[in-house]
Amino acid sequence: MTDQVLVLDRYSDVRQGNFSFSERVNYLKEFGRHSQSFSTLQPGMDFFDLEGIGYIGYMRKWGNVFVLSDPVCAAENFDLILTEFHKKFPRANYIQVSKSVADILHRRFGLYGTQFGSETRIDLQKWSLTGKKKQVLRTALNQAEKQGITVKERFSDDHTREISEAWIKTRKCKSNEIRFLIRPMNMNYKENERHFYAYQDGKAVGFIYFDPIYDKNKIVSYVPNISRASADFKQGIFYTLMAHAMEVFKEEGVPFLDLGLIPLMLTKETEPQEAGLLKKLLHLVYEKGNFLYNFKGLEFTKTRFRGEVFKTYCCHSKTLPMLEFLAMFKLTRLI
């Protein structure tokens, strides 16, 4: 009998639960280490709960199940909760999960674990704006200063909807806000969410909403999940807001800042568990699909901060899950 079977046998009495919202929040604060853990509490999510262990957040579209992020539980229980979830949803797709989750799903159930993009984490205690590679940031900050831009943290909205609606009209996807991969701007649950606004001549011209990332009931990082800029003022707003917020978090003693998903920022080599054909297709979408989403622009912006880059994966049962990806694009409102 393998060690893993012994581990699962130890938890054979674990039952699928039906957590209250406050119970899920407790698991989030204990185990919400993933950059999308907070987003698992966005409206429209379904949940798979295991009492005493944690939960998995997912959505459905066209008969497909899409899991968002790593399970919200202790890493040593990933195998257990994923096994129980797989029993109920053997054809589920997993989006933006870590290598450890991809390895479990590949080893135990034969799922492919194909790189979906990259994420970046910045060590705030080592952060500074110095260095040749951060010249773009310094230039943007200098331009913002010349334009009279100031940044303040606010705990109430300031022309948020007005800025957001004008901003959306300038995007590739103009009809709706993206959801699932990016949680909605308005959520009922907002605990420890941080809002920073940029002002010009006393008027709000941009903002970033930061979501907390937890470990053992402490905030260990923030991630900028919602960012908007006035259609009339674009240059330097994001960098200026980010630089200000990072200094605030650094002074508070927050260890890290995560920048979240950089979709389709992929490495060239193909790992053993990846679907080679799908990865080639994703490379092609990155090169030719900017009419769908500004993949290259987002990569350029986030990589200017020079954080530690690591891979994030999607897990799937088919070699080329075309219908599943189409359903996911509809779910996220990209199409």
Side-chain angles (χ1 to χ4, degrees), residues 7-100:
V7 169
L8 293 177
D9 283 349
R10 282 174 52 212
Y11 292 103
S12 60
D13 60 340
V14 171
R15 295 181 294 114
Q16 183 180 347
N18 186 19
F19 296 158
S20 67
F21 188 80
S22 61
E23 286 176 309
R24 285 202 192 91
V25 170
N26 288 338
Y27 281 108
L28 173 70
K29 291 181 177 180
E30 180 73 18
F31 304 116
R33 305 179 198 88
H34 193 279
S35 65
Q36 287 282 50
S37 293
F38 187 89
S39 290
T40 62
L41 297 183
Q42 67 182 277
M45 295 290 285
D46 291 320
F47 299 99
F48 180 87
D49 305 322
L50 281 186
E51 292 182 9
I53 301 297
Y55 71 88
I56 289 173
Y58 64 96
M59 283 190 179
R60 305 171 190 255
K61 189 69 177 182
W62 295 350
N64 296 282
V65 170
F66 296 96
V67 172
L68 178 65
S69 92
D70 288 358
V72 181
C73 69
E76 58 265 29
N77 289 326
F78 280 177
D79 208 321
L80 168 66
I81 196 169
L82 289 168
T83 297
E84 294 302 309
F85 184 82
H86 183 79
K87 291 177 183 177
K88 187 171 182 179
F89 301 110
R91 300 179 65 82
N93 304 276
Y94 300 78
I95 310 299
Q96 202 176 339
V97 297
S98 65
K99 183 65 161 61
S100 60

Side-chain angles (χ1 to χ4, degrees), residues 238-258:
F238 180 78
Y239 293 136
T240 301
L241 283 161
M242 286 291 294
H244 180 94
M246 289 166 73
E247 287 300 327
V248 171
F249 299 150
K250 181 177 180 178
E251 290 177 6
E252 293 174 352
V254 178
F256 302 103
L257 184 96
D258 285 62

Side-chain angles (χ1 to χ4, degrees), residues 165-212:
E165 289 176 353
W167 178 87
I168 287 174
K169 292 177 182 178
T170 70
R171 301 296 92 187
K172 304 289 183 181
C173 178
K174 297 180 174 59
S175 58
N176 287 296
E177 290 180 280
I178 295 173
R179 67 169 184 161
F180 187 66
L181 290 175
I182 301 175
R183 58 91 167 171
M185 187 168 63
N186 293 321
M187 285 179 57
N188 292 328
Y189 179 66
K190 299 182 179 182
E191 186 179 8
N192 292 322
E193 190 180 279
R194 306 283 290 270
H195 299 177
F196 289 83
Y197 283 81
Y199 293 88
Q200 185 181 44
D201 298 327
K203 180 181 178 181
V205 292
F207 61 86
I208 297 180
Y209 287 7
F210 290 87
D211 295 342

Side-chain angles (χ1 to χ4, degrees), residues 65-163:
V65 170
F66 296 96
V67 172
L68 178 65
S69 92
D70 288 358
V72 181
C73 69
E76 58 265 29
N77 289 326
F78 280 177
D79 208 321
L80 168 66
I81 196 169
L82 289 168
T83 297
E84 294 302 309
F85 184 82
H86 183 79
K87 291 177 183 177
K88 187 171 182 179
F89 301 110
R91 300 179 65 82
N93 304 276
Y94 300 78
I95 310 299
Q96 202 176 339
V97 297
S98 65
K99 183 65 161 61
S100 60
V101 168
D103 285 344
I104 290 170
L105 293 170
H106 178 68
R107 182 182 71 249
R108 290 191 59 78
F109 311 117
L111 269 62
Y112 294 98
T114 306
Q115 189 184 358
F116 182 68
S118 299
E119 296 197 42
T120 300
R121 167 164 279 196
I122 298 166
D123 185 336
L124 286 180
Q125 303 314 305
K126 298 178 180 178
W127 163 255
S128 78
L129 285 165
T130 60
K132 183 177 180 181
K133 292 182 178 179
K134 294 174 183 172
Q135 181 60 55
V136 171
L137 277 68
R138 294 196 298 274
T139 298
L141 290 172
N142 290 335
Q143 290 176 347
E145 185 177 2
K146 290 177 182 178
Q147 298 263 0
I149 300 297
T150 59
V151 177
K152 298 178 183 178
E153 183 171 10
R154 289 184 62 94
F155 300 95
S156 59
D157 291 344
D158 192 343
H159 296 87
T160 300
R161 179 55 60 185
E162 176 186 336
I163 295 170

